[in-house]
């Protein structure tokens, strides 16, 4: 959402009851918030309620926004706290503390084995993808990506959704999910590698 | 080629893109990249994957929820 006024201006307008500004944020941010909420709770309905509850808390609590983070960060903090509480109540707990995701992210059989003159090097390079002008993000590619996102383990999905889909900065994602930078990097890497693999499959089928 | 092989390179791509490598590791990474078309392609595809995700459309909030929230805003703040 380019063209939004600065955070202190936005906050002041919300405090003074400017409903156009509220509608602008509601329409601009709710879609992403729904996607994030959905990674924490079990159903679409729950996710919608989490977003609803978050906006109500924003309406009530905008006085407490002090501008020490961005407004969006502040809203996302309320969102993730609300979603976590809700997820716990639904007994859907996303474990955040341990990195159990290990092992290579690319099939080891794609590399030459020990004893080969070029051990650890590609047998065959990854196949080239059509250039973006040929429509990288056709509807079909979008569907594939959305489906592949849903297949990811929850922690990986949360990190890649916040970072790549929602474009949140890495320090905010550490704070929101209560994970270290190193942990976040591992989860993000595994998620992106998995999604890259799905796109490769898609382009391979089509060529 | 540097000591880094392709199997190791692919696991470092995100650290590289995040700018979180120390100087020596980054130098090894860039040295490998300069000489290996396969890894250059892999890096580019990881970057494109990440960028494509930013283009996924979001759902929108249900109309009745939207108007309920606008009402709540007006009655609390108006
Ligand atoms: Zn290589």
């Amino acid at each position: 959402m380019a063209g939004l006024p600065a955070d202190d201006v936005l906050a002041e307008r919300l405090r003074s009851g400017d409903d156009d500004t509220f509608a602008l944020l509601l329409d601009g941010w709710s879609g992403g918030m729904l996607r994030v909420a959905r990674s924490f709770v079990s159903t679409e309905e729950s996710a919608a309620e989490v977003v609803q509850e978050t906006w109500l808390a924003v309406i009530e609590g905008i006085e407490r926004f002090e501008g020490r983070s961005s407004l969006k960060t502040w809203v996302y903090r309320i969102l993730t706290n609300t979603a976590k509480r809700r997820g716990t109540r639904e007994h859907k707990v996303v474990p955040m503390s341990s990195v159990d995701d290990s092992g290579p992210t690319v099939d080891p059989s794609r590399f030459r084995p020990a004893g080969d003159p070029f051990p650890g090097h590609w047998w065959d390079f990854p196949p080239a993808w059509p250039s973006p002008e040929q429509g990288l993000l056709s509807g079909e590619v979008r569907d594939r990506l959305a489906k592949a996102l849903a297949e990811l383990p929850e922690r990986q999905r949360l990190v890649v959704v916040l970072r790549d889909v929602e474009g949140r900065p890495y320090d905010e994602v550490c704070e929101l999910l209560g994970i270290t930078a190193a942990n976040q990097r591992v989860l993000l890497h595994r998620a992106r590698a998995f999604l890259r693999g799905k796109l490769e499959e898609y382009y391979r089928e089509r060529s | 080629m540097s000591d880094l092989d392709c199997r190791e390179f692919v696991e470092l791509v995100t650290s590289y893109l995040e700018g979180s490598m120390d100087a020596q590791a980054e130098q090894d990474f860039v040295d490998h990249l300069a000489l290996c078309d396969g890894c250059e392609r892999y890096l580019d595809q990881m970057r494109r994957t990440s960028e494509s995700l930013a283009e996924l459309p979001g759902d929108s909030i249900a109309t009745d929820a939207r108007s309920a929230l606008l009402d709540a805003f007006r009655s609390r703040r108006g």
Side-chain angles (χ1 to χ4, degrees):
Chain A
M1 291 228 305
L4 272 184
D7 280 352
D8 50 340
V9 177
L10 285 174
E12 194 39 50
R13 287 187 189 162
L14 292 179
R15 285 185 195 114
S16 65
D18 175 358
D19 57 1
D20 285 341
T21 296
F22 184 67
L24 196 66
L25 296 182
L26 198 55
D27 295 335
W29 294 356
S30 294
M33 289 163 69
L34 273 172
R35 201 196 305 265
V36 172
R38 212 173 286 147
S39 296
F40 281 99
V41 298
S42 359
T43 63
E44 308 264 323
E45 291 72 28
S46 280
E49 282 168 31
V50 164
V51 171
Q52 184 102 349
E53 216 178 296
T54 300
W55 282 120
L56 290 173
V58 169
I59 295 171
E60 286 301 319
I62 188 64
E63 266 78 23
R64 288 197 298 278
F65 172 69
E66 292 171 329
R68 270 187 270 158
S69 60
S70 75
L71 182 63
K72 193 166 186 180
T73 298
W74 185 75
V75 172
Y76 268 59
R77 202 177 289 146
I78 300 174
L79 175 78
T80 47
N81 286 331
T82 309
K84 278 183 210 162
R85 272 201 307 278
R86 182 91 188 203
T88 311
R89 225 184 314 148
E90 292 172 354
H91 307 292
K92 186 184 165 185
V93 181
V94 181
M96 276 295 161
S97 51
S98 68
V99 179
D100 54 359
D101 316 79
S102 56
T105 56
V106 178
D107 183 351
S109 72
R110 295 182 68 168
F111 302 105
R112 294 166 177 269
D116 185 278
F118 300 101
H121 290 259
W122 298 101
W123 281 113
D124 294 306
F125 291 168
W129 294 356
S131 61
E133 295 77 45
Q134 290 165 257
L136 171 69
L137 275 201
S138 64
E140 247 177 272
V141 173
R142 272 195 210 139
D143 291 349
R144 282 295 182 108
L145 271 179
K147 209 173 122 225
L149 269 178
E151 290 170 29
L152 282 171
E154 275 154 2
R155 294 181 313 146
Q156 291 181 29
R157 183 168 65 244
L158 271 170
V159 169
V160 80
V161 162
L162 284 166
R163 284 294 308 278
D164 286 346
V165 185
E166 299 302 318
R168 306 316 297 155
Y170 93 91
D171 48 345
E172 180 181 322
V173 174
C174 281
E175 187 211 308
L176 293 177
L177 302 181
I179 57 178
T180 63
N183 198 343
Q184 178 184 150
R185 208 157 44 238
V186 169
L187 293 168
L188 184 61
H189 182 68
R190 303 194 72 80
R192 284 177 178 169
F194 175 81
L195 297 169
R196 192 212 66 89
K198 290 292 175 179
L199 289 180
E200 178 175 283
E201 259 174 40
Y202 170 73
Y203 289 125
R204 217 194 271 273
E205 281 165 23
R206 293 202 330 165
S207 64
Chain B
M1 285 225 177
S2 69
D3 298 338
L4 200 63
D5 66 30
C6 306
R7 194 183 41 204
E8 294 161 335
F9 180 100
V10 296
E11 302 301 345
L12 296 173
V13 164
T14 302
S15 297
Y16 174 73
L17 292 175
E18 299 273 283
S20 60
M21 285 175 143
D22 67 45
Q24 185 56 54
E26 185 167 306
Q27 190 57 53
D28 291 346
F29 185 92
V30 171
D31 287 348
H32 183 98
L33 187 61
L35 293 170
C36 180
D37 292 344
C39 286
E40 186 184 16
R41 188 177 283 168
Y42 189 87
L43 174 66
D44 180 53
Q45 291 178 351
M46 284 286 270
R47 202 184 265 133
R48 266 175 70 180
T49 301
S50 165
E51 288 165 1
S52 304
L53 288 163
E55 292 179 42
L56 284 182
D59 283 343
S60 47
I61 189 169
T63 4
D64 49 346
R66 185 181 183 278
S67 36
L69 283 167
L70 274 171
D71 286 346
F73 181 83
R74 289 189 190 109
S75 63
R76 175 71 175 80
R77 296 271 156 199

